[in-house]
Amino acid sequence: MRDFDYIRPATIPDAIAAAAEPGSAYLAGGTNLLDLMKGGITSPERIVDISRLPELNRIERLDDGGLRIGALVRNADLAYDPAFAKSYPAVAEALLSGASAQLRNAATVGGNLLQRTRCSYFYDTASACNRRQPGTGCDALEGENRLHAVLGWSDACIATHPSDFCVPLVALDAVVEIEGKKGRRHVSLEEFHRLPGETPQRENALEPGDLIVAVRLPAEAASFSANARYLKVRERTSYAFAVVSAAAALVVDGGKIRAARLALGGVAAKPWRARSAEAVLLGADASEATFASAADAALADASPSGDNAFKIELARRIVIRALISALSGTPERLPALPASPFSNIPGARHDA
Amino acid sequence: MTLELSLNQQPAHARQGSSIGQPLTRRDGFLKVTGAARYAADNHPPGMLYAVLAVSSIARGRVAALDVEAAKAHKGVVEVMTPKNRPALAADPDAKDHPFMFRLDLLQNDQVRYPNQSIAVVIAETLEAATEGAALLSPRYEVMPARVGLDGAESIVPRAVGVGGPAVQHKGDVEAGLKSAKTRIEATYETPAQYHNAMEPHAIVVAWEGDTLSIDTPSQGLAMAQGRIAGLFGIAPENIHIRSPFLGGGFGSKGMISGPQVLGILAARLVGRPVKLVLRREQMYGPVGHRAPTRQTLRMGMDGEGRLTALDHHAKTASSTFDDFFEPAADASHTLYASPAIATSHDAVRLDTGTPLFMRAPGEATGSIALESAIDEAAYACGMDPLEFRLRNYAEVEPMTGKPFSSKALRECYRQAAETFGWASRPIQPRLMRDADGFLTGWGMGTATFPAIMFQAEARAVLRADGSGVMETGAQDMGQGAWTAFAQIAADGLGLDIDQVDFRAGSSDLPNAGIAGGSGHTATAGMAIHNAGAAVIARLADLATGDEGSPLYGAGNEGVLARGGRLYRRDDESRGESYAEILTRAGLTEIEGHGKGAPDPASQEAYAKHAHGAVFAEVKVDPDFGQIRVTRLVGAFAAGRVINPRLVRSQYYGGMIWGVSFALHEEAITDRRSGRIQNANLAEYHVPVNADVPSIEALLVHEDDPHVNALGIKGVGEIGITGTAGAVANAVWHATGVRPRRFPVRIEDLLG
């Protein structure tokens, strides 16, 4: 590992000043960054350790009914916050379906947004990767790509964003609160992550020095609490990234859908908000036929980027099931296997 | 003095034990859970430097340039070892004197023959400096196209498969048998490359003192490692001391000393200081072995009653371009099912990969999943229940050789496991069972088998005047609990309580305990311990029965019993005295005895020796998503004498979980162009997590085997994988109606 400077600033402005220098990286939970450094995928010259900055580890109710989650709140702490889980059950379920208990204890809210793709060619420094090294090409295109993107990909990059947490967040109109050299600004999560286009190395809206200080959920996000689910298909029951996942949230009144939110995970370089599907759902009968139409709409623009056509059909089916699950209501308590198709074990508590 | 026992002899000096058969907890458990167990990489001799491998990122070609200057200029880097300055060896690392000697990459030239091959070693004051030094070497290569995959090269018929087994074997006329059959099936199955992935990476801490070597490294075979190192460095084996008290798993990958471990020794020689070298996880995908991929085709014919008329099993596999290990997958069809005609054959390609090696049930695991799948297909083709079909084709003698089995309680395994599982209510047709939540539910079964193998081992026993005993053998505990089981055998062998026995193992200066492999360690080293105990007890008995002052005087013809630290007359147990009294009166501080463990050639010739088992699996499959969960596993195994039921059950659990992993999870994903493995880490190389095995049960079926060895031990380390992998695959078929043809089963295979 290359030698690097280690800085532990006392305040947010100090952190931003330090990180604005080229070659800097923020360190919070370190669950992704340290692996990237050990593998030589990234080699920052300066580590700005923000893990002990004050004030970033709070969950605050806002006067307007929204919620502000500090960037350093640990994934596990957020998921196990009873008030949070009650208001935003799909988010809690997504958090607990990700990684392992040990990782969730270390990983932070801000870091989760910034985790890098799990594309193996990104990690394999001997392979061509436009995301890691712009202009070198994409070895995933003709490579082992059965788990790669089916939406929003380009010939420059077919990687996916691996987060579970971000999927319900983007569905619920979460906003990223960023502090930078020019002060504080707010960017919707939907616009925060970027599709690859010709510049896959530009993964998000952050500028040098920018620090995520919080994620906000608007007041309306809690209105879905009675009918919100996250569903994740994976290749082992725990500690695996999504093959495809979906977050679905509904407000249903008299059999009609009054509000609908839908997002997909594991399908694109960003958490994928399915707005065209939401348009199909809004005002329609809450029925399987409607859900099937919504799923068709959600995947209308999908195309295989390689040996992964199955993910399109799988995503359709997951959308339908997630909507059915949301319609049938949020469970009283978090399932024993959060977000798993096998979550229906009566009486079992979450321990996975 | 050596005394060897067989069951046909009534020993004059018998020991009556109470430790064998007890479910003792691991003697090393406390050390491990408290972190006090010292693994190889935990050692830190004074003056030690850190060595880090630089490994090849190409599969084939040569290293054209290394920036050694840049690496050496990095602060803390002491030396860079390349082919140019690597200390001389006394033997060619590409020599192969016998099938157990594998060619090693020890910087003998600039050629690259697989990804992750060592191309240099950087030695530095800190791990970080050595790591960065290795990165600064920035190798340039002349690259040749990689040969990847089972269709990536021209096919050959290997001279031998496994260890010296014929690649092609047959009995009877398979084609005639197929022709005469009423029902026939033919099916092809693919299994992927798999890597051992022991939790503990290969690690070595080395200190040279002149021409003597002090080594801490995990090893499944201390004496073999010692011999290999001695040959490479031209020094006497007794000048090499290897300590391997704990292994964090081996599974075959630590059976032979590997190239990186020898590079650690070379690095220490080069710099004249102690050196530590620990492989990174991704560096374990190449130089330390793996399970080769296979493509297996089975053809079976059955008569009108569902009896096999022919069984043909062909396996295609792969080895490296420079060495020979060929996964003997088709040989799995030699031992389980009776058929008048059986043919097994292998062919292979040579690929730009590290040499495949023994990996837990090599051949048996790969062969079993294909054979058990095909048997399931054959049963269905005959309209029969898979258990009934297996019983119809039950082998009363070993099918390929016609030899009687030394023992075979497989019928009882089938009966107990089926009953516990509730198999009787299973419908023959697939895709008929759903649970209350709507999941497709399937039940499948497989037969487990593994040969009862013995190698060679020695042990030394000591009885002391204070009444305690010592038992020494260079045995290896891979985490399976060997130390505990051996201590139990030692206690009974010495006629002492286990707390009175100082059991010593895990060091090369102890008697050669052979290899912890082939599921033969307990039988082999156990028999050496047993015989060493007998030898020292015989000496003690001679002392007592020849001493007029002893109450045992003159008991020589009737014999004596050793129990609880005392000898008793066999014909009058009221007459006896303690070991301490006997030794003290004789004026001895201690006496010793030696024993060997080895297969008996006569019974090897006369009998087929195998452990058996039956495994039943229940899977649930999401009908829309194809996601699979193994909700229940029940196995029943008969493997001769059980030394410690707790440890044995744990071995069965571990094996069965490997079986689940084989069927549903494990796969090294290789880039078809570069030959590099794309998931060389434990996040993406999947093995089951706890949530994948919610219910697992292993039944121990009683089996007395008078022929395998005097203790009646067969071995339990590998059998659990066999049978289980096929049972899971068959349950997936029964749930979905889709027959898995490649493993691991993937979601897209079941989407429909």
Side-chain angles (χ1 to χ4, degrees), chain B residues 566-577:
Chain B
R566 295 177 70 83
L567 294 186
Y568 301 89
R569 283 184 72 115
R570 192 194 294 274
D571 57 351
D572 178 5
E573 292 199 24
S574 71
R575 294 167 68 185
E577 66 177 332

Side-chain angles (χ1 to χ4, degrees), chain A:
Chain A
M1 188 186 303
R2 189 202 287 186
D3 286 348
F4 55 84
D5 294 332
Y6 174 85
I7 295 165
R8 196 197 295 161
T11 66
I12 292 173
D14 288 353
I16 291 165
E21 300 292 321
S24 300
Y26 286 120
L27 173 70
T31 57
N32 192 196
L33 178 67
L34 298 189
D35 280 349
L36 292 165
M37 291 170 68
K38 286 191 240 174
I41 294 104
T42 56
S43 300
E45 291 161 19
R46 180 180 304 98
I47 291 294
V48 182
D49 182 354
I50 57 165
S51 63
R52 284 168 235 205
L53 281 182
E55 296 167 24
L56 295 184
N57 58 358
R58 291 206 292 255
I59 306 169
E60 300 164 74
R61 302 260 154 204
L62 301 176
D63 290 343
D64 65 359
L67 189 79
R68 182 175 184 275
I69 311 159
L72 289 179
V73 174
R74 308 282 164 173
N75 285 190
D77 290 339
L78 183 59
Y80 288 123
D81 183 292
F84 179 81
K86 192 160 180 54
S87 298
Y88 316 99
V91 186
E93 190 168 19
L95 278 168
L96 291 177
S97 75
S100 65
Q102 294 89 336
L103 287 165
R104 294 193 295 267
N105 285 340
T108 63
V109 162
N112 191 303
L113 269 55
L114 295 176
Q115 65 185 299
R116 314 297 296 275
T117 180
R118 305 304 300 198
C119 172
S120 67
Y121 298 93
F122 174 77
Y123 284 81
D124 174 13
T125 54
S127 287
C129 175
N130 289 320
R131 185 174 290 266
R132 174 170 33 78
Q133 211 173 345
T136 54
C138 172
D139 273 347
L141 257 185
E142 303 290 328
E144 305 303 318
N145 52 22
R146 57 180 281 273
L147 298 178
H148 282 70
V150 293
L151 282 163
W153 55 274
S154 71
D155 282 345
C157 183
I158 62 172
T160 61
H161 193 264
S163 172
D164 293 301
F165 179 47
C166 288
V167 180
L169 280 184
V170 80
L172 295 173
D173 279 339
V175 170
V176 188
E177 197 175 310
I178 300 164
E179 188 138 328
K181 282 180 290 187
K182 293 175 207 155
R184 197 159 286 208
R185 69 187 197 279
H186 296 85
V187 177
S188 77
L189 184 61
E190 192 177 3
E191 285 164 4
F192 179 78
H193 293 107
R194 300 164 59 122
L195 290 174
E198 294 305 307
T199 54
Q201 73 276 16
R202 303 259 354 244
E203 295 182 0
N204 54 54
L206 293 181
E207 300 292 336
D210 278 356
L211 178 67
I212 297 176
V213 292
V215 171
R216 287 170 180 257
L217 282 166
E220 199 196 355
S223 67
F224 297 96
S225 62
N227 296 90
R229 291 305 300 269
Y230 183 66
L231 179 63
K232 174 181 179 182
V233 167
R234 56 198 128 169
E235 297 187 309
R236 62 181 166 190
T237 308
S238 179
Y239 191 36
F241 293 99
V243 176
V244 176
S245 69
L250 299 171
V251 176
V252 181
D253 185 15
K256 296 277 184 202
I257 300 168
R258 301 299 172 196
R261 299 295 176 78
L262 184 71
L264 288 162
V267 296
K270 60 187 284 185
W272 191 265
R273 177 80 178 260
R275 287 192 180 270
S276 56
E278 291 174 7
V280 171
L281 293 165
L282 193 63
D285 291 337
S287 68
E288 274 200 55
T290 302
F291 298 160
S293 303
D296 288 342
L299 279 305
D301 295 332
S303 62
S305 60
D307 194 16
N308 58 358
F310 79 96
K311 285 182 67 168
I312 299 170
E313 176 59 22
L314 181 63
R316 274 191 75 258
R317 297 181 187 185
I318 289 172
V319 165
I320 295 169
R321 178 84 65 84
L323 287 164
I324 291 171
S325 299
L327 178 64
S328 69
T330 305
E332 266 303 300
R333 59 164 48 151
L334 208 60
L337 297 169
S340 169
F342 298 106
S343 65
N344 301 322
I345 300 172
R349 295 187 60 122
H350 167 66
D351 60 2

Side-chain angles (χ1 to χ4, degrees), chain B residues 53 68 75 81 84 139 172 203 243 408 482-483 489 621 733 742:
Chain B
L53 294 183
V68 173
K75 186 166 173 285
M81 185 165 74
K84 289 181 181 147
R243 290 168 299 273
K408 182 177 176 180
W483 277 28
I489 298 171
V621 181
W733 170 79
R742 62 175 180 181

Side-chain angles (χ1 to χ4, degrees), chain B residues 512-554:
Chain B
N512 178 2
I515 187 164
S519 298
H521 201 35
T522 310
T524 310
M527 277 306 300
I529 291 166
H530 175 80
N531 287 336
V536 75
I537 292 295
R539 280 197 66 188
L540 186 72
D542 287 348
L543 282 177
T545 58
D547 180 349
E548 290 180 19
S550 167
L552 298 166
Y553 178 64

Side-chain angles (χ1 to χ4, degrees), chain B residues 285-597:
Chain B
Y285 288 72
V288 297
H290 66 282
R291 195 196 297 283
T294 72
R295 181 184 298 145
Q296 303 177 55
T297 300
L298 283 106
R299 297 187 299 156
M300 291 179 187
M302 284 74 63
D303 68 15
E305 271 84 52
R307 284 191 184 81
L308 286 166
T309 59
L311 166 56
D312 180 41
H313 191 161
H314 177 76
K316 182 172 192 176
T317 184
S319 193
S320 69
T321 57
F322 58 92
D323 209 345
D324 293 342
F325 182 84
F326 296 96
E327 178 89 359
D331 293 357
S333 286
H334 290 167
T335 53
L336 269 184
Y337 300 106
S339 172
I342 299 176
T344 59
S345 57
H346 298 83
D347 72 332
V349 288
R350 291 192 175 279
L351 304 177
D352 297 306
T353 167
T355 305
L357 272 178
F358 311 92
M359 178 163 150
R360 205 172 184 186
E364 290 86 3
T366 39
S368 172
I369 195 168
L371 173 62
E372 294 302 315
S373 292
I375 285 284
D376 205 63
E377 298 201 41
Y380 185 66
C382 294
M384 289 173 71
D385 173 83
L387 176 54
E388 186 193 350
F389 183 82
R390 284 173 171 84
L391 289 168
R392 184 72 48 87
N393 290 287
Y394 193 87
E396 302 293 351
V397 296
E398 188 178 51
M400 203 63 174
T401 62
K403 287 183 190 179
F405 290 103
S406 60
S407 63
K408 182 177 176 180
L410 176 57
R411 274 202 184 83
E412 189 58 16
C413 294
Y414 284 141
R415 193 190 65 73
Q416 288 191 24
E419 199 175 294
T420 303
F421 185 84
W423 179 260
S425 63
R426 175 187 179 274
I428 286 180
Q429 295 296 328
R431 215 179 167 96
L432 287 182
M433 300 200 299
R434 293 237 184 186
D435 72 3
D437 294 314
F439 293 112
L440 299 168
T441 303
W443 290 356
M445 69 168 296
T447 310
T449 188
F450 196 84
I453 299 168
M454 286 183 74
F455 303 101
Q456 311 272 341
E458 298 164 10
R460 172 177 175 266
V462 174
L463 289 174
R464 296 180 183 132
D466 66 0
S468 68
V470 179
M471 186 66 76
E472 294 183 333
T473 186
Q476 293 86 203
D477 193 320
M478 293 195 282
Q480 82 279 48
W483 277 28
T484 308
F486 287 142
Q488 289 176 260
I489 298 171
D492 284 6
L494 293 170
L496 289 169
D497 290 341
I498 197 164
D499 296 338
Q500 286 289 96
V501 179
D502 179 6
F503 177 72
R504 298 173 185 164
S507 180
S508 69
D509 56 359
L510 302 174
N512 178 2
I515 187 164
S519 298
H521 201 35
T522 310
T524 310
M527 277 306 300
I529 291 166
H530 175 80
N531 287 336
V536 75
I537 292 295
R539 280 197 66 188
L540 186 72
D542 287 348
L543 282 177
T545 58
D547 180 349
E548 290 180 19
S550 167
L552 298 166
Y553 178 64
N557 291 335
E558 294 300 326
V560 298
L561 299 172
R563 186 174 62 227
R566 295 177 70 83
L567 294 186
Y568 301 89
R569 283 184 72 115
R570 192 194 294 274
D571 57 351
D572 178 5
E573 292 199 24
S574 71
R575 294 167 68 185
E577 66 177 332
S578 72
Y579 300 174
E581 287 168 310
I582 298 166
L583 288 173
T584 304
R585 203 171 44 249
L588 296 171
T589 54
E590 60 177 48
I591 54 171
E592 71 176 64
H594 295 258
K596 289 185 180 172

